[in-house]
Amino acid sequence: MAVLKKEFIDRMAEIGGITKKDARRGLELFVETLMIYMAENEIVRFTGFGKFEMKTTKERKGLNPFNGTDCIVPEHKKMKFYASEVLADKIKELQRED
């Protein structure tokens, strides 16, 4: 199941003891700021959480999903997230509690 933005904001507000409006604004500011840094090809690191960075994918052969013909997927940039060990361990711990 995917968590929608509204559900995420509701949970942020609940956990943080803040209004949904403040939680929405905080999330929007985070995303906007992250996009600015990604556009500048910066690496954004959060100790104990992970890092975001832009990676260049090489040109490759692919298939057109609409008609099944071969095509070339051009070189392009993708945003990647790498979780820290601390985050990965915390997620495992939380999953064991369920």
Side-chain angles (χ1 to χ4, degrees):
M1 180 181 102
V3 175
L4 302 176
K5 183 178 178 180
K6 182 189 179 316
E7 296 166 324
F8 193 88
I9 289 168
D10 291 348
R11 177 77 64 95
M12 277 181 62
E14 180 185 324
I15 291 169
I18 59 175
T19 66
K20 291 178 184 179
K21 183 178 180 179
D22 287 342
R24 175 180 302 280
R25 184 67 183 137
L27 180 60
E28 288 170 353
L29 281 169
F30 173 80
V31 171
E32 183 178 338
T33 305
L34 182 62
M35 287 189 300
I36 291 167
Y37 277 117
M38 293 297 98
E40 295 170 352
N41 288 314
E42 296 287 345
I43 296 173
V44 178
R45 293 179 199 272
F46 296 106
T47 303
F49 185 72
K51 71 177 179 176
F52 296 88
E53 68 178 281
M54 296 302 292
K55 287 286 195 177
T56 301
T57 61
K58 295 180 181 177
E59 181 179 283
R60 62 179 174 82
K61 289 183 182 178
L63 283 178
N64 183 323
F66 298 108
N67 59 22
T69 60
D70 291 337
C71 65
I72 298 294
V73 178
E75 181 178 281
H76 61 282
K77 292 194 174 256
K78 291 176 117 177
M79 185 173 77
K80 301 285 281 181
F81 173 73
Y82 300 92
S84 73
E85 283 188 38
V86 173
L87 176 62
D89 291 344
K90 181 67 175 176
I91 290 169
K92 286 177 190 173
E93 180 182 313
L94 291 170
Q95 288 174 335
R96 278 188 237 127
E97 293 175 6
D98 289 341

